[in-house]
Amino acid sequence: MCGIVGIISTQSVTKRILTSLKRLEYRGYDSAGISAIKNRKIERCRAAGKLSNLEQALVKQPISGSIGIGHTRWATHGVPSIENAHPHVSGQVAVVHNGIIENYQQLKEELANDGVTMQTETDTEVVAHLANAYLQAGMQPKEMMQALLSKIQGAFALLIMMAQHPDTLLAARKYSPLAIAYGDDEMFLGSDALALAHLSRKISYFEDGDWAIITKDEAKIFNLKNEIVERPSKITDASNKTPDKGKYAHYMEKEINEQPEVIGYTFASYCSPTTGKITLPKFKFCPSELPKLTIVAAGTSFYAGMVAKYWFENLARIPTEVDIASEFRYRNPVLIKNGAALFISQSGESLDTLMAQRYAKENGQNIISLVNVPESTIARESDTVLKTLAGPEISVASTKAFTTQLVTLLTMAVHWGELRGVLSDREAKKITDNLANLPSLLARVLSDDLDWIGASSELALSQDVIYLGRGVNFPIALEGALKLKEISYIHAEGYAAGEMKHGPIALLERGVPVVMVAPHDEWFEKTSSNLKEALARGARVVLLSDDKGIEKLHEAATWIFRMPRVHPILTPILYSLPVQLLAYHTAKEKGTEIDQPRNLAKSVTVE
Ligand code: F6R
């Protein structure tokens, strides 16, 4: 999703803006641009496609100045092109924006009536024209911002630069994230701490409705009521190192391979691997009396929530509902008084999830979040925060964040199961012992000489791939299909294995690959009947199972991936690995852009 950066300094800013934009690349984008002010004139350079194109454009058309703004654009209104790339300029104003100006059509009409011609298809351009018109009418920057913010509706993180005020940068935030970092004689603004941590580690976050007038020496922050406010600064935990792929071809491959380690860290942060004693952060309620848990998330994090529903219901007997974040607040959900709502998000910035969280808070729920970015908005607005220690996840397709979410959720369900008297100490210890052993099993799968490339080279030739799973592994079938779609662009669907016969089986014709997530668990016999039904219709089966399952089904499968035997409750974590690896190798075989797939963004900050 769009990333924004701004620097006001005494020294040249262009190179540093470019470095910050590179640190925001992981969010996903399709064009980029930078503006700076030199001799009270706005200079601008933009390029479609990757930042390397912008770098080349800057060689031909260098720009410099001690105040500048930069942007990576993920297209919403208007195709990805140089014209639609930010910064947008009108007269003496340049603007970068993350979000959507919802009333842009109406504003366009008003501007057209005043004789303004639009140059782009974007919603953002109206902001530049309005700001310029207000300044032309004689307003000072502060008055102009107040007028502008009372006019525009929607979601935004905005940075505005004015040629006639080269010592002032303006910023505003509503819903879309924005941070400020404090330097010596310079100030830095960006979409997140990662964009800024290499410039300064002292960071404050804007709250919704905040806007600011920033010079190189100070930031005056105002709230929605235009009162001056203080936003506490902290030393960010975000790494100042520029992420790198190490020995791996892609971030996704690196992140898949990091899983044994980060799962180990995450688990050890909640549970002593030796005693099995689980320590969770404090909740504002008593888990043993909790009447209902509502889990809300998007995409892969939603699938983690689906797995967690099985765990919370089975291990802790808590009535649990799971909702897609973008749907939750629009269906008037029944939220029980004193209930708890758990929001799962790698980035902690997905706007759908954040808006659902605010809705749950307004409706009296105790808010828990499970995030990988502890400084994120979702974390900051929670009553209790659980962290995954996955480290920065750069690949757009989530892998290690998902499995660390699962480990945390299972640990939480076990602990609550004990508190609610559903699990005995012995039963709980059995699961935590297995969790402590899980990293070594994952490492074994990664080092085993399994023929991922053989199966993937066939999957790469397919039009459609079906993923099936049952019970606690049904969400892993959904996640496997999502991973394949995202990075290889092959149409893939995940189904509950038993649901196949109720419709989707019509899709099966000779040769269609069916990936069966089938550990030898309590549902195995039924899953294997579903596999036979697919086989009878000519499907070619990729079997993900263990010794016992493979012994029973090896003749039915074209490709077999042998997983270690593990406690059945843990299988979704272990079986995430083969579905990730199948997707990764298939995409590699197809030669698609694995780390930044087309159309996708890492941090989805629009609704
Ligand atoms: C899939 C993927 C997305 C995210 C979703 C939610 O590989 O990464 O589906 O899971 O956009 O993002 P977070 O977890 O950051 O809220």
Side-chain angles (χ1 to χ4, degrees):
M1 199 102 317
C2 303
I4 65 176
V5 178
I7 305 182
I8 180 160
S9 173
T10 50
Q11 292 157 34
S12 176
V13 294
T14 327
K15 269 200 183 140
R16 289 185 291 170
I17 291 179
L18 194 62
T19 308
S20 287
L21 291 180
K22 284 185 184 160
R23 292 168 66 91
L24 287 174
E25 263 195 307
Y26 77 96
R27 293 162 73 94
Y29 68 104
D30 36 48
S31 59
I34 295 182
S35 273
I37 298 177
K38 193 171 181 192
N39 302 330
R40 293 191 183 249
K41 276 185 68 185
I42 290 174
E43 299 188 336
R44 171 171 69 162
C45 182
R46 298 176 294 170
K50 294 291 166 202
L51 279 174
S52 52
N53 298 347
L54 179 64
E55 263 181 301
Q56 279 171 19
L58 281 165
V59 173
K60 288 195 201 131
Q61 187 204 332
I63 60 173
S64 63
S66 55
I67 174 169
I69 52 180
H71 191 266
T72 46
R73 173 172 188 255
W74 183 80
T76 58
H77 294 60
V79 296
S81 64
I82 295 189
E83 293 69 38
N84 288 333
H86 301 212
H88 291 295
V89 174
S90 172
Q92 60 160 308
V93 169
V95 172
V96 289
H97 167 219
N98 168 26
I100 293 174
I101 305 298
E102 286 171 0
N103 59 338
Y104 80 103
Q105 282 294 9
Q106 179 205 325
L107 298 174
K108 259 186 183 176
E109 282 161 28
E110 287 176 23
L111 285 161
N113 290 338
D114 294 342
V116 177
T117 314
M118 293 291 148
Q119 309 292 325
T120 76
E121 303 160 306
T122 68
D123 53 323
T124 306
E125 191 185 345
V126 297
V127 177
H129 291 307
L130 281 173
N132 187 51
Y134 293 145
L135 292 174
Q136 298 284 69
M139 289 186 191
Q140 287 304 301
K142 183 175 176 188
E143 250 183 303
M144 178 275 271
M145 270 309 258
Q146 287 172 335
L148 179 70
L149 295 174
S150 64
K151 193 85 177 160
I152 58 175
Q153 290 164 12
F156 46 82
L158 279 173
L159 298 179
I160 301 179
M161 213 170 58
M162 300 153 293
Q164 299 309 313
H165 300 274
D167 50 0
T168 306
L169 195 55
L170 301 171
R173 176 204 173 161
K174 191 172 163 204
Y175 305 139
S176 308
L178 185 61
I180 178 165
Y182 302 86
D184 285 339
D185 249 4
E186 45 188 4
M187 296 278 182
F188 313 100
L189 289 121
S191 294
D192 63 24
L194 206 59
L196 304 175
H198 64 300
L199 298 167
S200 163
R201 303 193 66 76
K202 187 179 166 199
I203 284 181
S204 305
Y205 292 93
F206 284 70
E207 290 188 7
D208 266 345
D210 284 356
W211 61 279
I213 302 174
I214 299 140
T215 63
K216 66 182 177 43
D217 307 308
E218 69 163 351
K220 265 194 197 138
I221 304 181
F222 302 86
N223 64 11
L224 208 52
K225 297 183 196 149
N226 297 322
E227 299 157 340
I228 291 208
V229 283
E230 290 277 326
R231 297 296 174 220
S233 62
K234 60 167 288 184
I235 301 303
T236 180
D237 290 335
S239 168
N240 56 4
K241 283 198 218 122
T242 305
D244 76 272
K245 290 183 240 174
K247 62 178 181 177
Y248 297 99
H250 298 97
Y251 282 109
M252 184 177 182
E253 187 189 14
K254 177 171 180 249
E255 288 161 6
I256 288 173
N257 279 279
E258 281 171 351
Q259 288 176 107
E261 193 180 13
V262 294
I263 281 177
Y265 288 153
T266 303
F267 178 62
S269 71
Y270 293 115
C271 179
S272 155
T274 39
T275 62
K277 183 173 164 15
I278 297 172
T279 313
L280 298 179
K282 280 218 160 13
F283 299 98
K284 277 179 79 183
F285 55 91
C286 183
S288 57
E289 287 160 18
L290 187 66
K292 182 181 162 192
L293 178 66
T294 304
I295 303 179
V296 185
T300 289
S301 298
F302 170 70
Y303 297 146
M306 283 181 76
V307 175
K309 176 178 162 73
Y310 284 86
W311 289 334
F312 281 109
E313 289 183 345
N314 283 303
L315 303 176
R317 303 304 296 154
I318 298 177
T320 306
E321 271 192 42
V322 196
D323 260 281
I324 292 178
S326 57
E327 291 290 321
F328 177 66
R329 67 195 175 112
Y330 300 110
R331 69 170 181 83
N332 197 10
V334 179
L335 295 170
I336 293 181
K337 197 165 171 262
N338 299 327
L342 165 63
F343 297 83
I344 308 173
S345 174
Q346 185 286 128
S347 61
E349 298 293 351
S350 290
L351 193 56
D352 288 322
T353 310
L354 175 63
M355 297 311 281
Q357 175 172 310
R358 287 182 181 165
Y359 176 90
K361 195 165 203 165
E362 279 159 21
N363 285 278
Q365 299 299 288
N366 293 293
I367 305 295
I368 314 164
S369 63
L370 172 56
V371 295
N372 195 41
V373 182
E375 292 170 24
S376 58
T377 313
I378 288 178
R380 295 199 309 273
E381 295 191 14
S382 305
D383 298 320
T384 305
V385 183
L386 292 130
K387 298 173 202 165
T388 50
L389 302 187
E393 193 179 61
I394 305 296
S395 158
V396 165
S398 185
T399 53
K400 60 178 182 169
F402 178 62
T403 46
T404 51
Q405 283 166 356
L406 291 180
V407 166
T408 310
L409 291 162
L410 179 53
T411 310
M412 191 172 159
V414 169
H415 189 48
W416 285 11
E418 276 183 291
L419 295 178
R420 293 166 75 92
V422 182
L423 288 183
S424 66
D425 288 353
R426 206 172 57 86
E427 285 165 326
K429 179 83 171 40
K430 192 167 171 201
I431 299 176
T432 54
D433 282 351
N434 273 274
L435 270 167
N437 195 33
L438 192 61
S440 66
L441 297 183
L442 292 165
R444 201 199 312 161
V445 175
L446 287 167
S447 63
D448 269 359
D449 200 13
L450 299 172
D451 186 16
W452 303 109
I453 297 172
S456 297
S457 54
E458 295 275 329
L459 289 188
L461 302 173
S462 309
Q463 294 261 318
D464 309 284
V465 180
I466 309 282
Y467 285 72
L468 300 180
R470 245 178 206 270
V472 74
N473 281 301
F474 162 44
I476 302 307
L478 295 171
E479 170 62 3
L482 177 64
K483 283 289 93 90
L484 192 73
K485 283 189 260 223
E486 282 182 300
I487 59 168
S488 75
Y489 314 146
I490 295 171
H491 173 239
E493 297 296 340
Y495 291 106
E499 186 64 11
M500 248 330 247
K501 57 188 177 296
H502 296 291
I505 202 162
L507 292 174
L508 287 186
E509 50 187 48
R510 188 147 298 283
V512 172
V514 173
V515 180
M516 300 290 301
V517 185
H520 195 273
D521 56 16
E522 60 182 294
W523 302 287
F524 181 80
E525 297 307 333
K526 296 210 186 301
T527 310
S528 71
S529 303
N530 303 134
L531 180 150
K532 301 273 170 56
E533 289 154 14
L535 208 62
R537 283 150 186 94
R540 287 182 306 162
V541 172
V542 180
L543 178 64
L544 312 177
S545 191
D546 47 30
D547 283 345
K548 272 194 173 172
I550 291 169
E551 195 185 313
K552 292 190 182 161
L553 284 180
H554 66 99
E555 282 177 0
T558 308
W559 300 281
I560 294 172
F561 293 97
R562 191 178 299 270
M563 297 294 113
R565 191 113 182 96
V566 66
H567 189 299
I569 206 82
L570 270 65
T571 50
I573 313 173
L574 184 69
Y575 282 70
S576 296
L577 209 52
V579 299
Q580 294 167 354
L581 285 163
L582 277 174
Y584 173 74
H585 287 289
T586 304
K588 203 168 166 195
E589 200 61 33
K590 282 196 74 177
T592 48
E593 253 195 85
I594 293 181
D595 286 330
Q596 286 167 13
R598 68 181 181 208
N599 304 341
L600 294 183
K602 182 76 182 157
S603 186
V604 185
T605 50
V606 292
E607 273 192 271

